[in-house]
mmCIF file of all heavy atoms in Angstrom:
data_model
loop_
_atom_site.group_PDB
_atom_site.id
_atom_site.type_symbol
_atom_site.label_atom_id
_atom_site.label_comp_id
_atom_site.label_asym_id
_atom_site.label_seq_id
_atom_site.Cartn_x
_atom_site.Cartn_y
_atom_site.Cartn_z
ATOM 1 N N LEU A 14 -0.495 216.928 -114.636
ATOM 2 C CA LEU A 14 0.919 217.188 -114.430
ATOM 3 C C LEU A 14 1.444 216.736 -113.069
ATOM 4 O O LEU A 14 2.649 216.559 -112.890
ATOM 5 C CB LEU A 14 1.236 218.675 -114.561
ATOM 6 C CG LEU A 14 1.023 219.308 -115.926
ATOM 7 C CD1 LEU A 14 1.162 220.794 -115.829
ATOM 8 C CD2 LEU A 14 2.026 218.729 -116.892
ATOM 9 N N VAL A 15 0.568 216.514 -112.153
ATOM 10 C CA VAL A 15 0.930 216.342 -110.756
ATOM 11 C C VAL A 15 1.846 217.470 -110.304
ATOM 12 O O VAL A 15 2.834 217.289 -109.587
ATOM 13 C CB VAL A 15 1.644 214.956 -110.567
ATOM 14 C CG1 VAL A 15 1.637 214.552 -109.099
ATOM 15 C CG2 VAL A 15 0.962 213.859 -111.366
ATOM 16 N N ASN A 16 1.528 218.654 -110.824
ATOM 17 C CA ASN A 16 2.281 219.874 -110.489
ATOM 18 C C ASN A 16 3.746 219.805 -110.827
ATOM 19 O O ASN A 16 4.564 220.426 -110.153
ATOM 20 C CB ASN A 16 2.095 220.221 -108.978
ATOM 21 C CG ASN A 16 0.664 220.520 -108.671
ATOM 22 O OD1 ASN A 16 -0.012 221.212 -109.396
ATOM 23 N ND2 ASN A 16 0.188 220.007 -107.515
ATOM 24 N N ASN A 17 4.078 219.071 -111.882
ATOM 25 C CA ASN A 17 5.508 218.987 -112.233
ATOM 26 C C ASN A 17 5.612 218.886 -113.790
ATOM 27 O O ASN A 17 5.332 217.833 -114.393
ATOM 28 C CB ASN A 17 6.141 217.751 -111.606
ATOM 29 C CG ASN A 17 7.618 217.731 -111.734
ATOM 30 O OD1 ASN A 17 8.201 217.998 -112.815
ATOM 31 N ND2 ASN A 17 8.373 217.474 -110.642
ATOM 32 N N LEU A 18 6.053 219.970 -114.384
ATOM 33 C CA LEU A 18 6.142 220.020 -115.856
ATOM 34 C C LEU A 18 7.150 218.997 -116.366
ATOM 35 O O LEU A 18 6.925 218.393 -117.435
ATOM 36 C CB LEU A 18 6.551 221.445 -116.261
ATOM 37 C CG LEU A 18 5.488 222.537 -116.268
ATOM 38 C CD1 LEU A 18 6.082 223.864 -116.507
ATOM 39 C CD2 LEU A 18 4.421 222.198 -117.329
ATOM 40 N N ASN A 19 8.285 218.831 -115.684
ATOM 41 C CA ASN A 19 9.310 217.917 -116.196
ATOM 42 C C ASN A 19 8.745 216.481 -116.299
ATOM 43 O O ASN A 19 9.038 215.779 -117.243
ATOM 44 C CB ASN A 19 10.533 217.922 -115.316
ATOM 45 C CG ASN A 19 11.428 219.111 -115.597
ATOM 46 O OD1 ASN A 19 11.357 219.669 -116.675
ATOM 47 N ND2 ASN A 19 12.235 219.500 -114.621
ATOM 48 N N TYR A 20 7.951 216.073 -115.335
ATOM 49 C CA TYR A 20 7.385 214.731 -115.361
ATOM 50 C C TYR A 20 6.372 214.603 -116.488
ATOM 51 O O TYR A 20 6.310 213.591 -117.190
ATOM 52 C CB TYR A 20 6.712 214.370 -114.024
ATOM 53 C CG TYR A 20 7.703 213.894 -113.029
ATOM 54 C CD1 TYR A 20 8.081 214.668 -111.937
ATOM 55 C CD2 TYR A 20 8.276 212.607 -113.070
ATOM 56 C CE1 TYR A 20 9.004 214.254 -111.015
ATOM 57 C CE2 TYR A 20 9.176 212.137 -112.183
ATOM 58 C CZ TYR A 20 9.556 212.969 -111.132
ATOM 59 O OH TYR A 20 10.480 212.534 -110.197
ATOM 60 N N PHE A 21 5.559 215.661 -116.658
ATOM 61 C CA PHE A 21 4.572 215.642 -117.723
ATOM 62 C C PHE A 21 5.283 215.509 -119.117
ATOM 63 O O PHE A 21 4.910 214.618 -119.906
ATOM 64 C CB PHE A 21 3.745 216.928 -117.752
ATOM 65 C CG PHE A 21 2.796 217.055 -118.886
ATOM 66 C CD1 PHE A 21 1.559 216.405 -118.828
ATOM 67 C CD2 PHE A 21 3.188 217.776 -120.014
ATOM 68 C CE1 PHE A 21 0.678 216.501 -119.958
ATOM 69 C CE2 PHE A 21 2.264 217.869 -121.104
ATOM 70 C CZ PHE A 21 1.034 217.272 -121.052
ATOM 71 N N PHE A 22 6.222 216.350 -119.383
ATOM 72 C CA PHE A 22 6.891 216.295 -120.662
ATOM 73 C C PHE A 22 7.783 215.062 -120.813
ATOM 74 O O PHE A 22 8.018 214.577 -121.935
ATOM 75 C CB PHE A 22 7.692 217.578 -120.918
ATOM 76 C CG PHE A 22 6.860 218.752 -121.190
ATOM 77 C CD1 PHE A 22 6.765 219.845 -120.346
ATOM 78 C CD2 PHE A 22 6.091 218.809 -122.368
ATOM 79 C CE1 PHE A 22 5.942 220.905 -120.622
ATOM 80 C CE2 PHE A 22 5.259 219.888 -122.638
ATOM 81 C CZ PHE A 22 5.217 220.941 -121.761
ATOM 82 N N GLY A 23 8.289 214.589 -119.645
ATOM 83 C CA GLY A 23 9.017 213.309 -119.694
ATOM 84 C C GLY A 23 8.171 212.190 -120.184
ATOM 85 O O GLY A 23 8.548 211.413 -121.050
ATOM 86 N N HIS A 24 6.940 212.089 -119.617
ATOM 87 C CA HIS A 24 6.033 211.034 -120.077
ATOM 88 C C HIS A 24 5.609 211.234 -121.527
ATOM 89 O O HIS A 24 5.344 210.289 -122.289
ATOM 90 C CB HIS A 24 4.833 210.956 -119.147
ATOM 91 C CG HIS A 24 5.116 210.308 -117.821
ATOM 92 N ND1 HIS A 24 5.442 208.957 -117.724
ATOM 93 C CD2 HIS A 24 5.227 210.815 -116.591
ATOM 94 C CE1 HIS A 24 5.680 208.675 -116.455
ATOM 95 N NE2 HIS A 24 5.545 209.790 -115.738
ATOM 96 N N TYR A 25 5.490 212.506 -121.940
ATOM 97 C CA TYR A 25 5.126 212.816 -123.318
ATOM 98 C C TYR A 25 6.220 212.298 -124.251
ATOM 99 O O TYR A 25 5.957 211.666 -125.269
ATOM 100 C CB TYR A 25 4.912 214.294 -123.492
ATOM 101 C CG TYR A 25 4.666 214.758 -124.901
ATOM 102 C CD1 TYR A 25 3.526 214.267 -125.606
ATOM 103 C CD2 TYR A 25 5.527 215.592 -125.573
ATOM 104 C CE1 TYR A 25 3.304 214.660 -126.922
ATOM 105 C CE2 TYR A 25 5.288 216.026 -126.842
ATOM 106 C CZ TYR A 25 4.185 215.537 -127.537
ATOM 107 O OH TYR A 25 3.936 215.906 -128.839
ATOM 108 N N LEU A 26 7.477 212.569 -123.922
ATOM 109 C CA LEU A 26 8.595 212.110 -124.749
ATOM 110 C C LEU A 26 8.670 210.589 -124.761
ATOM 111 O O LEU A 26 8.985 209.985 -125.838
ATOM 112 C CB LEU A 26 9.904 212.703 -124.216
ATOM 113 C CG LEU A 26 10.125 214.184 -124.517
ATOM 114 C CD1 LEU A 26 11.373 214.714 -123.800
ATOM 115 C CD2 LEU A 26 10.286 214.453 -126.017
ATOM 116 N N ILE A 27 8.383 209.969 -123.649
ATOM 117 C CA ILE A 27 8.394 208.488 -123.590
ATOM 118 C C ILE A 27 7.290 207.934 -124.515
ATOM 119 O O ILE A 27 7.452 206.903 -125.213
ATOM 120 C CB ILE A 27 8.277 207.967 -122.194
ATOM 121 C CG1 ILE A 27 9.583 208.151 -121.422
ATOM 122 C CG2 ILE A 27 7.876 206.502 -122.160
ATOM 123 C CD1 ILE A 27 10.759 207.439 -122.042
ATOM 124 N N ALA A 28 6.162 208.577 -124.563
ATOM 125 C CA ALA A 28 5.075 208.188 -125.466
ATOM 126 C C ALA A 28 5.540 208.249 -126.886
ATOM 127 O O ALA A 28 5.244 207.352 -127.722
ATOM 128 C CB ALA A 28 3.859 209.062 -125.265
ATOM 129 N N LEU A 29 6.340 209.272 -127.221
ATOM 130 C CA LEU A 29 6.868 209.416 -128.580
ATOM 131 C C LEU A 29 7.912 208.307 -128.842
ATOM 132 O O LEU A 29 7.973 207.750 -129.910
ATOM 133 C CB LEU A 29 7.497 210.779 -128.763
ATOM 134 C CG LEU A 29 6.555 211.983 -128.650
ATOM 135 C CD1 LEU A 29 7.337 213.278 -128.849
ATOM 136 C CD2 LEU A 29 5.432 211.912 -129.673
ATOM 137 N N VAL A 30 8.706 208.017 -127.801
ATOM 138 C CA VAL A 30 9.702 206.955 -127.937
ATOM 139 C C VAL A 30 9.016 205.618 -128.231
ATOM 140 O O VAL A 30 9.479 204.838 -129.091
ATOM 141 C CB VAL A 30 10.536 206.830 -126.651
ATOM 142 C CG1 VAL A 30 11.313 205.503 -126.620
ATOM 143 C CG2 VAL A 30 11.523 208.005 -126.533
ATOM 144 N N ASN A 31 7.928 205.341 -127.567
ATOM 145 C CA ASN A 31 7.205 204.101 -127.789
ATOM 146 C C ASN A 31 6.612 203.996 -129.172
ATOM 147 O O ASN A 31 6.327 202.891 -129.647
ATOM 148 C CB ASN A 31 6.106 203.972 -126.733
ATOM 149 C CG ASN A 31 6.658 203.708 -125.333
ATOM 150 O OD1 ASN A 31 7.768 203.217 -125.190
ATOM 151 N ND2 ASN A 31 5.891 204.049 -124.316
ATOM 152 N N SER A 32 6.470 205.133 -129.839
ATOM 153 C CA SER A 32 5.963 205.082 -131.233
ATOM 154 C C SER A 32 7.083 204.623 -132.169
ATOM 155 O O SER A 32 6.809 204.149 -133.263
ATOM 156 C CB SER A 32 5.464 206.479 -131.683
ATOM 157 O OG SER A 32 6.577 207.375 -131.920
ATOM 158 N N GLY A 33 8.344 204.793 -131.755
ATOM 159 C CA GLY A 33 9.469 204.395 -132.587
ATOM 160 C C GLY A 33 9.735 205.329 -133.759
ATOM 161 O O GLY A 33 10.562 205.033 -134.608
ATOM 162 N N ASP A 34 9.079 206.478 -133.775
ATOM 163 C CA ASP A 34 9.159 207.436 -134.888
ATOM 164 C C ASP A 34 10.236 208.481 -134.557
ATOM 165 O O ASP A 34 9.945 209.458 -133.875
ATOM 166 C CB ASP A 34 7.835 208.070 -135.162
ATOM 167 C CG ASP A 34 7.812 208.934 -136.413
ATOM 168 O OD1 ASP A 34 8.887 209.399 -136.856
ATOM 169 O OD2 ASP A 34 6.704 209.150 -136.959
ATOM 170 N N LEU A 35 11.463 208.271 -135.027
ATOM 171 C CA LEU A 35 12.566 209.177 -134.686
ATOM 172 C C LEU A 35 12.318 210.566 -135.207
ATOM 173 O O LEU A 35 12.647 211.559 -134.536
ATOM 174 C CB LEU A 35 13.873 208.634 -135.230
ATOM 175 C CG LEU A 35 15.124 209.494 -134.856
ATOM 176 C CD1 LEU A 35 15.262 209.617 -133.335
ATOM 177 C CD2 LEU A 35 16.378 208.840 -135.487
ATOM 178 N N GLU A 36 11.747 210.714 -136.412
ATOM 179 C CA GLU A 36 11.508 212.045 -136.952
ATOM 180 C C GLU A 36 10.512 212.853 -136.101
ATOM 181 O O GLU A 36 10.726 214.018 -135.898
ATOM 182 C CB GLU A 36 10.981 211.958 -138.393
ATOM 183 C CG GLU A 36 12.022 211.417 -139.403
ATOM 184 C CD GLU A 36 13.294 212.250 -139.390
ATOM 185 O OE1 GLU A 36 13.221 213.479 -139.371
ATOM 186 O OE2 GLU A 36 14.393 211.625 -139.350
ATOM 187 N N LEU A 37 9.516 212.183 -135.584
ATOM 188 C CA LEU A 37 8.559 212.839 -134.663
ATOM 189 C C LEU A 37 9.238 213.246 -133.375
ATOM 190 O O LEU A 37 9.020 214.331 -132.842
ATOM 191 C CB LEU A 37 7.371 211.908 -134.423
ATOM 192 C CG LEU A 37 6.293 212.470 -133.505
ATOM 193 C CD1 LEU A 37 5.698 213.749 -134.073
ATOM 194 C CD2 LEU A 37 5.171 211.423 -133.306
ATOM 195 N N ILE A 38 10.085 212.353 -132.863
ATOM 196 C CA ILE A 38 10.830 212.645 -131.623
ATOM 197 C C ILE A 38 11.725 213.853 -131.823
ATOM 198 O O ILE A 38 11.758 214.743 -130.982
ATOM 199 C CB ILE A 38 11.683 211.449 -131.202
ATOM 200 C CG1 ILE A 38 10.796 210.266 -130.766
ATOM 201 C CG2 ILE A 38 12.614 211.808 -130.052
ATOM 202 C CD1 ILE A 38 11.504 208.958 -130.572
ATOM 203 N N LYS A 39 12.398 213.904 -132.986
ATOM 204 C CA LYS A 39 13.282 215.025 -133.266
ATOM 205 C C LYS A 39 12.499 216.354 -133.272
ATOM 206 O O LYS A 39 12.904 217.334 -132.663
ATOM 207 C CB LYS A 39 13.982 214.852 -134.651
ATOM 208 C CG LYS A 39 15.027 213.831 -134.728
ATOM 209 C CD LYS A 39 15.557 213.794 -136.162
ATOM 210 C CE LYS A 39 16.628 212.759 -136.355
ATOM 211 N NZ LYS A 39 17.145 212.728 -137.740
ATOM 212 N N GLN A 40 11.383 216.329 -133.910
ATOM 213 C CA GLN A 40 10.539 217.521 -134.050
ATOM 214 C C GLN A 40 10.072 218.014 -132.685
ATOM 215 O O GLN A 40 10.190 219.223 -132.371
ATOM 216 C CB GLN A 40 9.309 217.200 -134.906
ATOM 217 C CG GLN A 40 8.334 218.378 -135.104
ATOM 218 C CD GLN A 40 7.137 217.955 -135.901
ATOM 219 O OE1 GLN A 40 7.210 217.109 -136.791
ATOM 220 N NE2 GLN A 40 5.982 218.540 -135.613
ATOM 221 N N GLU A 41 9.532 217.120 -131.862
ATOM 222 C CA GLU A 41 9.013 217.526 -130.546
ATOM 223 C C GLU A 41 10.163 217.869 -129.618
ATOM 224 O O GLU A 41 10.055 218.806 -128.810
ATOM 225 C CB GLU A 41 8.124 216.413 -129.991
ATOM 226 C CG GLU A 41 6.898 216.204 -130.757
ATOM 227 C CD GLU A 41 6.013 217.454 -130.857
ATOM 228 O OE1 GLU A 41 5.597 217.967 -129.805
ATOM 229 O OE2 GLU A 41 5.764 217.933 -131.988
#
Side-chain angles (χ1 to χ4, degrees):
L14 293 173
V15 197
N16 296 318
N17 191 313
L18 282 171
N19 280 338
Y20 279 105
F21 174 82
F22 286 113
H24 284 292
Y25 175 62
L26 287 171
I27 286 299
L29 297 179
V30 165
N31 290 336
S32 76
D34 188 337
L35 183 58
E36 291 306 315
L37 181 58
I38 293 170
K39 288 179 181 181
Q40 177 183 328
E41 295 300 301

